[in-house]
Structures are given as C-alpha cells and as structure tokens.
Amino acid sequence: GGYLFSISNISVKCYSKLFEQIRNNHNLRKFVPELTRLSGLSDSSVSRIFDMVKTGELTKADLLSIIWSNEIKNLSEPVIMQIISILLESDSENAGRGALDVLESYYVRQKVILPSELTLKTLTHPSFFDKVRKSLRNPTEGWHWGKVAHSLIDNHPICMLPLAKVIVEHLGEDDTILEDQHLVNKTLSQIAESMPSEVWDLIKAKLDPPVSEVSFHLTQWLRNVGYDDDVEGGFRFMLPSKVWEWVDEKPEMRAWYIATFVPKLLFHSSEKCCWAREVLVRYGDRQDVRNNLSANFHTEGWSGLASLHYSKKRDVLLKFRESETNANVLHWIDIEIKCLEHEIEREKMEEERQGF
C-alpha cells in the first residue's frame, strides 16, 4: 500500500498500469480493494473496483474493504451513492452496516444533506433486523443508525412515517439494531411530535395481548421509563381522543392494561392531559384499573430512607387531593394514602430497629 501510494504521487500513469497488472493476475486481483484503500482513494480508483464488480472479478461485498477509510470523504457524491447502492445489493450480512457507516461519515459527520431514498433504504435494510446473523453487531451500529435517522427526518420529513413503521415493528427487539433504545426512542419521539395520530395508529396495532417484546418496549416509551429529562414519555404527543377511542373499543381488555403504563404523574391542567387522572375519571370504578394503576404508581426506585420516600409520595397525593373533585379519583387517592401511611409506620419501625 505504501509503495503504491508513493507511485501514485510520482506518476498516475504508472500507478494505473500497476493496478491493471494486479487486476489481470487471477491470484492477486482479490487484493485490489484493500490495496486501493491503502494507497489512497480517488474517484478513478474506486471506479476501477466498480468495473471489476460489474465484470464479476470482485463481489459486491468486496467494497466493504474500502469504506472504513478517512479518505472516503474526498470522493465525489455520485461515487459515494454508487458505493452505497452496490453494498445494499450485496448478500453480505455486513452490507447494511457498511452503507450506514458511509452515510454517517460522509453525510452526517460533514453535515451534508442525505439522499432521502438511499438513506431510507439503508435504515430499513433487512440485515439490521436479522436475528440469526452469524456475526456480532458492532456496538456503534445503533448509535450510527440513530444519528442518520435523526438527520434524515430533519432534512426529509416525508421519510418520517416509513421510518416510524420500522421502529414500531422492531423497537427493543433483541439481536436487532433497535435493541439499543436510547437514540431510537428519541427518533420515535421526534416523529410522534410531528405525526401524533399516524404514530398512535401504528402503536395501537401492537399493544393488544399477548404482550410481545416489541409491545412491552412501546409501552415503556409511552410511559417513559428511565429518561428523566422526558418525564411524560411518548404519551405527551398522543391525542387523548384517539387513545380513549382505542380503550373504549374493548374496555374490559384495555382499561386495566393502559393503567399499567400511563405516566404516573398527577396534576391538574386545562392545557394538557394528566393520563393517570383521566384513566381514573373514565375507568376508576373498575377494581382492576385501580389495582393496576396502583402497581404502576409504586413501580420505582429511590435512595435514602424509605420512610422519607413514602412520606413525600403521601404529601404529593394530599396536595393533589385538595383540588380534586372527581369521586373515582378521590377514592383511589384515599386508598393510596392509607397504604402509604401504613408503609411509613412500618419503615420507621424498621429504621429505628436498625439504628437510623
């Protein structure tokens, strides 16, 4: 590679002649992509590889040898787009990853507008959702997928819905690129903010029992488990009328179920929906709804003394109760306050026994 690089700086004609000799040698031609990468990428040197792929001297997957080079940014956009197109036609399970890396390094990193059709084709490539692939996924795949997806919908809003369909179909699935949820959740939130009705229509089709791996992760996105800066989760984008319409279609099945994953924040507002309160107003006469909302309310973690934690929860409910008028909500709050007071006394006794 170093020798060929030096030759290219001295004489482009000699450099091209050497590569033609390598190409014409049946035993050496397989090294053309790697030698091209090591000796310096250019439109003409990569075009030679395109020609060899076209004639069958190299496979489409052989292009993977050249893409992980810093010099790829020096290639023209038509050549870059051809590299991606050929990779996506390859049978290699690393083809999608290769195309994704090219998009991230050439377009996203350099803040160049992505080609919409080619980018969407890359993000939805089957290799990203193949659970039986033989090689391990690169830890950067999910990160790059999220960055490219963000950039795509910023530049091409028309791609939002097709991308949302893929996310909703595979969110959180083990052994897929959407297993790592952090950036993907943000991408879905970005789409839902612009297209709340369409995204809800996609999600609701996945929610009914039996609970699947994907439906579980969708409920966690809606509820917002684990992301402190986004306390209301995906529900904050949803249209309440659409959600209650879905619940009312099968209230025996869906009323208790939605109580398990609505955001557990309680507040009064004329501008935004308090999902937990509204569940109680609409369906709080059902014991299964009250029980499941209670389980949701107590699904948590904390540090410090348990008695102080439960006291704070009780005080929040007492404050909320002062402005509440709905009988269903008041009934549930009174039960929760009674339970919390019992927990407070029990924890105080335990803490005293342990010397706190």
Side-chain angles (χ1 to χ4, degrees), residues 289-316:
V289 170
R290 296 195 301 272
N291 289 346
N292 280 284
L293 185 62
S294 179
N296 182 347
F297 185 68
H298 291 285
T299 300
E300 59 190 352
W302 70 88
S303 61
L305 295 177
S307 63
L308 292 178
H309 170 72
Y310 289 132
S311 294
K312 289 178 182 178
K313 286 177 72 76
R314 178 201 58 192
D315 293 345
V316 168

Side-chain angles (χ1 to χ4, degrees), residues 6 48 58 81 92 95 98 101 111 113 165 188 211 223 231 237 244 271 278 299 320 352:
S6 299
R48 180 188 300 111
L58 293 173
M81 292 179 69
S92 170
D101 283 352
K111 299 182 179 179
I113 295 178
K165 288 179 180 178
L188 186 56
V211 176
R223 181 174 182 250
V231 293
F237 305 117
W244 305 132
E271 298 177 356
E278 195 64 26
T299 300
F320 178 79
E352 184 177 351

Side-chain angles (χ1 to χ4, degrees), residues 115-117 120 152-153 156-164 191 195:
S116 58
E117 186 175 343
L120 186 60
L152 176 65
I153 60 182
H156 305 285
I158 196 172
C159 295
M160 284 186 178
L161 192 56
L163 199 56
I191 298 171
M195 310 180 72

Side-chain angles (χ1 to χ4, degrees), residues 29-62:
R29 66 175 55 145
K30 64 184 178 182
F31 298 112
V32 167
E34 183 66 13
L35 290 172
T36 299
R37 183 183 68 83
L38 293 172
S39 60
L41 298 181
S42 67
D43 282 3
S44 59
S45 65
V46 175
S47 294
R48 180 188 300 111
I49 298 175
F50 292 159
D51 187 55
M52 293 178 72
V53 170
K54 186 176 180 180
T55 60
E57 297 166 271
L58 293 173
T59 68
K60 294 173 181 177
D62 286 326

